[in-house]
């Protein structure tokens, strides 16, 4: 019982170069579903309650650290540097100073293994508890185990791991493989790491030597995981394959929770997106982290919703793009609308095709159905904004505010030169350039008077005929 209370920390190996990625970017920074590979194991460790997480960085240490810190600004991360890649044991040993004084269990994860589920890691900790020894490990059974360390057992008990290059033909026939994921008692870990020698085919410090040392102290706990979970990423083909599995896993969970995905193969929903039941998502849609979609929302084909909220019953027609926007209930948006950061729409708002908004607060029931730019705007309830309306919010130096009261009617092709206000119930005639405030209930028009010359076309033709002969 007491062991359940054991403190948890984690070491995540992120030092690798990833030569086969053929990229200038460090391997662990390559993304699947919007997040770098290493973000997944780091997040799992934090979800399990690790009070201290140590990413071990090496290749492109600075950019890896920078990106990871930006992703987890609040997390208890301490970065450790492995200068030279001398093997997995050496990599973990680089984390010792960062975990000085920590007593409890250390979870060891790979930064390039993104699909390991929280539940599997919880089972690993439970297996560690149940076995009562100093180490537990994740294993996986592979039809073709080539390249992996083999898990050797005697009478069912794990005795050690042998690497492919050091294995006898008999050992190579073993199909249970080491996934490289462990839970280790901290006190044992640091002592044992100091004893590991690079006496092997590769001349490396093998972390797997821990297993033999641990087996001498007590039973080694094991969890057998599915190979899809323990698979790493070595090249871009594998990157795409892992992304597909993650996409499927996330999409399945949404469908089981009552969301209709019309084509899950082309729907990209990142982790940490909420979608209410009875919502429908069309093909080619991306929903990025932090987005919250209500119930009964319809998202048409090709929409991109980034860190935005869309409340119940709203419709995003095809190819609408939302970024840090808040859409209220029963809105109708798009097709081809672009809602940029700071857009806040009340209920029953309609924004049609080729409407762009930025830092725009729009009140209940207001409509802008065609070809309009509303930036730095506060718009009241029940307004009608005609086609081609533009808030001229930028004078080359400053951004200024356009304010419309309730029930304002803006005729088509109007320019609102900010800062400017249009009062409740006012009308602005089509084609007007509004440069002065319009008081409530009044009409503003600025237009050159129309001139009509009857018979002008026939007269012109006659003149031309007379000249040309
Ligand atoms: C390791 C295991 C093997 C297991 C396999 C699962 C050892 C000795 N072997 O083999 O039993 O079946 O993982 O994938 O541990 N890394 C560093 N610094 C280093 C060396 C490695 O950060 O000095 C990182 C790598 O970037 C990688 C991970 O550790 O993310 C695994 O290293 P790798 O060399 O690929 O180990 P394997 O040979 O695959
Ligand atoms: Ca590997």
């Amino acid at each position: 019982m007491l062991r359940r209370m054991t403190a948890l920390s984690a070491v995540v190996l992120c030092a690798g170069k990833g030569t086969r990625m053929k990229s200038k970017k460090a391997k662990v920074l390559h993304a699947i579903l919007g997040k770098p590979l290493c973000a997944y194991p780091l997040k799992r460790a934090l979800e399990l309650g690790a009070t201290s997480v140590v990413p071990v960085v090496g290749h492109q240490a600075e950019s890896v650290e920078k990106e990871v810190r930006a992703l987890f600004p609040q997390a208890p991360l301490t970065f450790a540097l492995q200068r030279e890649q001398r093997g997995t044991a050496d990599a973990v040993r680089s984390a010792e100073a960062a975990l000085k004084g920590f007593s409890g269990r250390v979870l060891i994860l790979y930064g390039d293994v993104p699909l390991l589920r929280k539940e599997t890691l919880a089972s690993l900790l439970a297996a560690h508890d149940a076995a009562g020894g100093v180490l537990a490990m994740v294993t996986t059974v592979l039809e073709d185990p080539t390249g992996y360390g083999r898990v050797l057992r005697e009478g069912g008990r794990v005795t050690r791991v042998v690497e492919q290059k050091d294995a006898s033909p008999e050992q190579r026939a073993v199909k249970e493989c080491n996934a490289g994921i462990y839970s280790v008692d901290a006190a044992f870990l640091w002592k044992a790491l100091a004893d590991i020698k690079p006496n092997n085919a590769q001349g490396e410090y093998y972390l797997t030597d821990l297993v033999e040392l641990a087996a001498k102290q007590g039973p080694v706990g094991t969890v057998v995981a599915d190979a899809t979970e323990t698979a790493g990423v070595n090249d871009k083909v594998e990157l795409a394959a892992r992304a597909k599995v993650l996409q499927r896993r996330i999409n399945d969970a949404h469908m089981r929770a009552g969301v209709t995905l019309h084509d899950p193969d082309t729907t990209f929903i990142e982790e940490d997106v909420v979608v209410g039941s009875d919502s429908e998502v069309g093909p080619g849609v991306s929903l990025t982290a932090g987005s919250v979609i209500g119930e009964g929302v319809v998202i048409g084909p090709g929409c991109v919703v980034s860190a935005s909220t869309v409340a119940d019953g709203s419709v995003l027609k095809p190819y609408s793009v939302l970024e840090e926007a808040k859409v209220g209930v029963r809105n109708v948006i798009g097709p081809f609308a672009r809602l940029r950061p700071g857009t806040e729409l009340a209920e029953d708002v309609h924004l049609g095709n080729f409407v762009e908004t930025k830092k725009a607060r729009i009140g209940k029931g207001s409509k802008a159905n065609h070809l309009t730019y509303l930036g730095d705007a506060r718009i009241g309830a029940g307004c009608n904004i005609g086609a081609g309306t533009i808030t001229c919010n930028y004078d080359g130096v400053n951004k200024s505010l356009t304010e419309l009261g309730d029930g304002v009617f803006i005729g088509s092709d109007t320019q609102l030169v900010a800062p400017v206000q249009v009062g409740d119930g006012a009308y602005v005639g089509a084609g007007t350039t509004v440069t002065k405030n319009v008081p409530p209930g009044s009409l503003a028009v600025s237009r050159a008077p129309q001139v009509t010359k009857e018979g002008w076309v026939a007269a012109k033709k006659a003149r031309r005929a007379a000249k040309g002969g």
Side-chain angles (χ1 to χ4, degrees):
M1 282 315 267
L2 258 178
R3 290 200 58 118
R4 292 214 163 274
M5 308 293 292
T6 309
L8 185 69
S9 65
V11 174
V12 183
L13 305 189
C14 299
K17 181 164 182 210
T19 311
R20 279 176 285 164
M21 297 300 278
K22 306 264 172 72
S23 168
K24 292 191 182 74
K25 192 157 66 174
K27 175 159 76 171
V28 294
L29 292 184
H30 286 268
I32 60 172
L33 277 188
K35 271 200 297 261
L37 290 175
C38 62
Y40 293 91
L42 289 166
K43 188 149 175 278
R44 297 296 92 86
L46 293 165
E47 285 168 356
L48 283 167
T51 51
S52 185
V53 177
V54 185
V56 175
V57 292
H59 187 71
Q60 292 193 11
E62 275 167 36
S63 44
V64 175
E65 174 165 352
K66 197 166 157 232
E67 197 158 325
V68 169
R69 280 203 192 281
L71 277 168
F72 299 97
Q74 313 290 348
L77 302 179
T78 312
F79 287 78
L81 184 67
Q82 185 194 20
R83 278 175 210 285
E84 235 184 296
Q85 299 241 320
R86 299 190 297 170
T88 44
D90 178 63
V92 175
R93 211 176 167 192
S94 319
E96 184 173 1
L99 290 175
K100 203 173 160 64
F102 171 83
S103 65
R105 287 189 288 195
V106 183
L107 195 57
I108 299 173
L109 305 172
Y110 286 170
D112 59 358
V113 175
L115 299 181
L116 211 61
R117 291 176 312 126
K118 183 186 166 194
E119 292 76 8
T120 304
L121 291 172
S123 306
L124 174 68
L125 298 178
H128 191 165
D129 282 340
V134 293
L135 180 145
M137 61 193 291
V138 177
T139 75
T140 187
V141 178
L142 297 177
E143 227 11 79
D144 177 12
T146 312
Y148 287 86
R150 309 299 205 283
V151 179
L152 305 184
R153 295 179 183 259
E154 274 169 31
R157 278 192 165 204
V158 172
T159 53
R160 67 189 182 101
V161 170
V162 61
E163 291 305 293
Q164 166 92 17
K165 287 183 177 148
D166 304 291
S168 67
E170 211 173 72
Q171 290 167 336
R172 286 184 186 184
V174 171
K175 292 196 166 144
E176 187 180 11
C177 298
N178 171 31
I181 311 296
Y182 318 84
S183 163
V184 193
D185 285 359
F188 163 78
L189 176 65
W190 309 125
K191 219 185 285 152
L193 283 177
D195 291 339
I196 291 176
K197 306 259 161 9
N199 300 328
N200 52 59
Q202 303 187 83
E204 283 183 10
Y205 292 87
Y206 283 174
L207 187 58
T208 44
D209 288 356
L210 273 188
V211 176
E212 185 172 9
L213 297 169
K216 285 181 180 145
Q217 305 225 349
V220 169
T222 54
V223 171
V224 185
D226 194 274
T228 52
E229 273 193 60
T230 58
V233 172
N234 290 306
D235 59 28
K236 288 181 177 172
V237 174
E238 292 179 357
L239 185 73
R242 305 305 165 252
K244 261 294 157 212
V245 172
L246 182 63
Q247 177 195 14
R248 190 80 224 184
R249 191 192 279 175
I250 292 171
N251 287 354
D252 285 356
H254 284 293
M255 289 188 280
R256 292 208 173 90
V259 180
T260 300
L261 302 185
H262 290 289
D263 182 11
D265 288 341
T266 64
T267 303
F268 301 92
I269 307 180
E270 297 182 2
E271 279 191 349
D272 303 319
V273 171
V274 177
V275 187
S277 63
D278 284 322
S279 286
E280 288 184 40
V281 181
V285 168
S286 292
L287 307 177
T288 77
S291 292
V292 178
I293 312 297
E295 293 183 6
V297 170
V298 177
I299 303 182
C303 287
V304 178
V305 179
S306 303
S308 296
T309 57
V310 180
D312 297 352
S314 282
V315 178
L316 304 185
K317 293 190 177 174
Y319 303 102
S320 294
V321 177
L322 280 61
E323 191 186 348
E324 293 170 42
K326 291 195 175 114
V327 173
V329 299
R330 290 183 310 274
N331 280 208
V332 180
I333 307 296
F336 302 103
R338 179 169 183 218
L339 277 46
R340 293 168 51 204
T343 297
E344 286 182 36
L345 311 179
E347 60 237 70
D348 299 304
V349 170
H350 290 198
L351 300 180
N353 40 264
F354 309 109
V355 171
E356 175 181 345
T357 59
K358 185 218 77 175
K359 281 196 190 156
R361 269 197 345 233
I362 302 181
K364 180 177 176 175
S366 287
K367 296 184 170 116
N369 275 327
H370 332 263
L371 296 162
T372 286
Y373 174 58
L374 302 170
D376 301 296
R378 300 237 171 93
I379 295 168
C383 293
N384 200 310
I385 302 189
T389 298
I390 292 171
T391 53
C392 309
N393 59 327
Y394 186 52
D395 61 8
V397 181
N398 297 307
K399 299 275 170 72
S400 302
L401 197 63
T402 298
E403 293 176 274
L404 271 53
D406 294 335
V408 169
F409 180 95
I410 305 284
S412 298
D413 193 27
T414 291
Q415 298 91 50
L416 296 151
V417 181
V420 76
Q421 300 175 342
V422 180
D424 291 346
Y427 271 58
V428 173
T432 296
T433 302
V434 181
T435 52
K436 289 180 268 188
N437 290 346
V438 180
S442 46
L443 167 71
V445 206
S446 76
R447 233 183 251 165
Q450 182 173 328
V451 177
T452 308
K453 298 182 178 177
E454 283 185 31
W456 181 85
V457 177
K460 177 182 156 118
K461 278 185 186 154
R463 274 198 306 278
R464 197 185 290 154
K467 248 196 235 163

